[in-house]
Amino acid sequence: MNILNTQDTNFKDEFAKLLMRGKMDINSVEMRVKELLEDVKQQGVEALKEHIKRFDKWEAKSFEDFKISANELKEAYENLEPSLKEALNIAYKRIYAFHSKQKPKTWLDFEENGSILGQIIQPVQRAGLYIPGGKAAYPSSLLMNAIPALVAGVKEIVVCTPTPNNEPNHLLLAAMHLCQVKEVYKVGGASAIALLAYGVEDCKKVDVISGPGNIYVATAKKLVFGEVNIDMIAGPSEIGILAQNYTNAKYLAWDLLSQAEHDEMASSILITTNKDLAQVVKTQIYEILPTMQREKIARASIDERGAIIVAKDLEEAIFLMNEIAPEHLELLVENPLEVLPKIKNAGAIFIGENTPEPIGDYIAGPNHTLPTGGSAKFFSPLNVEHFMKKSSLISFSKQAILELGESCSVLAHSEGLEAHKNSVLTRLNKI
């Protein structure tokens, strides 16, 4: 894990490399993903059976074999040990409460001339959730994707998740039961995105697909966008920490490692104004690594994608972090509420030493499906509106068309659109 100093002659080049962390090489897998998508689109169940046999190492005899019944979900929930069931319910309630505050409302505006303008907001009918299940299963991701859809009012929620060796994760199934999911398929990767986007047999196509995944899933979502809507194209997990002198070095080390253990491609970046703290944190990280169950993954991430930056002052540190635009940002500074308005780009912001990033992953309430790779500059966290659509409403009275029709026809004429112009003028009795 390199320690970079903004005063070093090669800092600009090294920092530029950090900013490129989110550039997944979609081009390298795009042709293969196109083939997988087309296989499912053209061959349906037969393609799914072949893909599952090859990637997940089990054989399906028919489309029914891909399904997980509502009874299986219920049984998994009922058999949870009490502490897990309690934790799952606490998370559910907090996430639901937070997202309930996001729900937009239909509105109408009645003008004096009798016209009515407004916006009608409705849920999509059918949402597809992709929940990873390769290196680990993530019940928390199920909650974070299903609950906003529930709050939005989506009637049909469909889940796809890979099940290597045909062995579903029972905590994940329990989370699905809690979220009232009734349609689940044991399909992963690009094949799952194809199933959701195109539909196969009695699995109808969805309107929107959400959920994280590897480069194949991200590429597949990109390719089916337009056929359906998608939440975002998210890459490997990442954390940025902005720290000053007083910060506990052990806290920083564990927080950086909390992202590194996700994936070899995860990014953990600390920016501090204290070079001594930088060195202590690095030492702590390499002392902790040998004790971790996922040491190999975390070490690869820290060595290849981790960095500690020593900035000359807090203003420079803030500027650099805004350039990085991290998925998760921990703000461990002396006056965080004064610094907060200066933070322009971050998926989620964690304030104070008692708010480690994993609190946001599981229990706080805000969504943990966040923009990565610098896309926090223009993307937002997954939210209720991802599962809703808006229709504009326009109703003109006779008085309104008389007041505004002439100006409308002038604009239509200026664009050379005769029928547009005459459509209005005929209502003014001018043609």
Side-chain angles (χ1 to χ4, degrees):
M1 189 179 202
N2 292 329
I3 296 180
L4 311 175
N5 193 304
T6 59
Q7 305 308 301
D8 292 343
T9 55
N10 65 338
F11 175 75
K12 285 187 177 181
D13 291 339
E14 293 298 322
F15 188 68
K17 291 177 185 177
L18 285 181
L19 297 182
M20 292 294 290
R21 71 197 182 284
K23 302 294 184 278
M24 293 188 299
D25 191 7
I26 282 180
N27 291 338
S28 67
V29 300
E30 189 166 312
M31 288 305 298
R32 182 67 192 117
V33 172
K34 281 182 178 178
E35 291 174 5
L36 294 170
L37 294 175
E38 195 63 24
D39 280 351
V40 175
K41 190 174 185 180
Q42 298 297 329
Q43 300 176 42
V45 177
E46 293 307 310
L48 290 176
K49 291 195 303 191
E50 192 272 327
H51 295 175
I52 295 304
K53 182 178 180 181
R54 190 188 334 162
F55 299 122
D56 283 351
K57 311 303 179 188
W58 63 276
E59 289 193 41
K61 303 299 183 185
S62 69
F63 190 65
E64 291 300 310
D65 290 344
F66 294 121
K67 298 178 181 179
I68 299 178
S69 70
N71 283 338
E72 290 177 81
L73 306 184
K74 183 179 179 182
E75 183 180 351
Y77 179 77
E78 290 176 346
N79 290 333
L80 276 184
E81 58 183 80
S83 61
L84 265 179
K85 186 179 289 187
E86 181 184 13
L88 206 60
N89 275 276
I90 289 172
Y92 178 93
K93 289 174 183 176
R94 291 186 63 85
I95 297 165
Y96 197 100
F98 179 86
H99 287 82
S100 294
K101 294 177 174 67
Q102 296 180 335
K103 190 173 181 179
K105 296 179 180 179
T106 291
W107 59 269
L108 297 175
D109 182 37
F110 297 86
E111 298 185 346
E112 290 183 2
N113 61 15
S115 65
I116 304 171
L117 302 178
Q119 187 170 255
I120 298 174
I121 303 176
Q122 306 173 80
V124 299
Q125 176 67 25
R126 189 167 166 83
L129 315 182
Y130 183 84
I131 309 300
K135 292 181 179 178
Y138 296 103
S140 57
S141 289
L142 187 281
L143 296 179
M144 293 293 182
N145 282 266
I147 291 173
L150 285 173
V151 172
V154 177
K155 299 298 184 186
E156 300 172 19
I157 299 175
V158 191
V159 174
C160 282
T161 186
T163 55
N165 303 308
N166 199 17
E167 297 175 357
N169 179 278
H170 290 283
L171 182 54
L172 178 56
L173 301 190
M176 293 182 200
H177 173 75
L178 186 60
C179 291
Q180 306 162 48
V181 175
K182 296 179 175 60
E183 192 175 347
V184 186
Y185 299 95
K186 296 181 285 187
V187 182
S191 311
I193 304 305
L195 170 63
L196 295 170
Y198 305 132
V200 173
E201 291 208 358
D202 56 340
C203 176
K204 298 177 293 182
K205 67 173 291 187
V206 301
D207 301 307
V208 59
I209 298 173
S210 74
N214 62 18
I215 189 171
Y216 289 89
V217 171
T219 304
K221 286 169 69 176
K222 179 182 178 183
L223 292 173
V224 301
F225 176 64
E227 184 77 36
V228 296
N229 197 9
I230 63 171
D231 53 350
M232 65 188 82
I233 301 171
S237 190
E238 57 191 38
I239 186 171
I241 302 179
L242 201 58
Q244 285 181 298
N245 301 338
Y246 78 99
T247 310
N248 186 311
K250 185 177 285 189
Y251 289 179
L252 298 182
W254 276 113
D255 292 358
L256 292 165
L257 288 167
S258 73
Q259 296 310 291
E261 71 176 348
H262 268 299
D263 190 306
E264 295 90 344
M265 299 293 287
S267 298
S268 300
I269 302 169
L270 166 64
I271 304 181
T272 179
T273 54
N274 187 321
K275 65 180 180 181
D276 293 330
L277 179 64
Q279 188 58 58
V280 173
V281 171
K282 179 176 179 177
T283 300
Q284 288 270 0
I285 285 172
Y286 284 99
E287 287 178 357
I288 293 170
L289 273 170
T291 71
M292 296 179 63
Q293 290 183 354
R294 296 166 70 88
E295 177 193 358
K296 186 176 179 182
I297 292 172
R299 188 179 291 275
S301 169
I302 287 294
D303 286 347
E304 300 298 324
R305 312 265 288 187
I308 298 175
I309 298 173
V310 179
K312 65 182 180 182
D313 54 33
L314 186 57
E315 289 301 315
E316 183 180 58
I318 293 168
F319 170 80
L320 295 173
M321 194 60 82
N322 277 326
E323 287 296 297
I324 291 169
E327 177 188 18
H328 307 99
L329 170 60
E330 289 189 3
L331 204 53
L332 303 177
V333 295
E334 293 170 13
N335 298 297
L337 296 183
E338 291 181 12
V339 172
L340 187 58
K342 300 176 182 179
I343 302 299
K344 304 302 180 184
N345 305 315
I349 303 169
F350 301 76
I351 297 177
E353 63 178 19
N354 295 314
T355 319
E357 185 280 332
I359 284 290
D361 278 348
Y362 296 106
I363 212 84
N367 210 287
H368 80 194
T369 304
L370 302 165
T372 64
S375 62
K377 290 183 176 181
F378 46 84
F379 273 132
S380 301
L382 184 69
N383 60 77
V384 171
E385 291 193 46
H386 280 101
F387 299 97
M388 306 191 82
K389 54 194 177 69
K390 304 178 178 99
S391 299
S392 299
L393 177 68
I394 306 167
S395 175
F396 263 38
S397 64
K398 186 66 175 178
Q399 181 182 343
I401 193 77
L402 289 173
E403 287 179 4
L404 297 170
E406 190 67 42
S407 294
C408 181
S409 69
V410 168
L411 291 172
H413 178 74
S414 73
E415 293 186 353
L417 297 175
E418 181 184 15
H420 280 62
K421 178 185 74 174
N422 290 340
S423 171
V424 175
L425 290 180
T426 190
R427 287 167 168 79
L428 305 180
N429 295 318
K430 292 194 174 182
I431 58 170

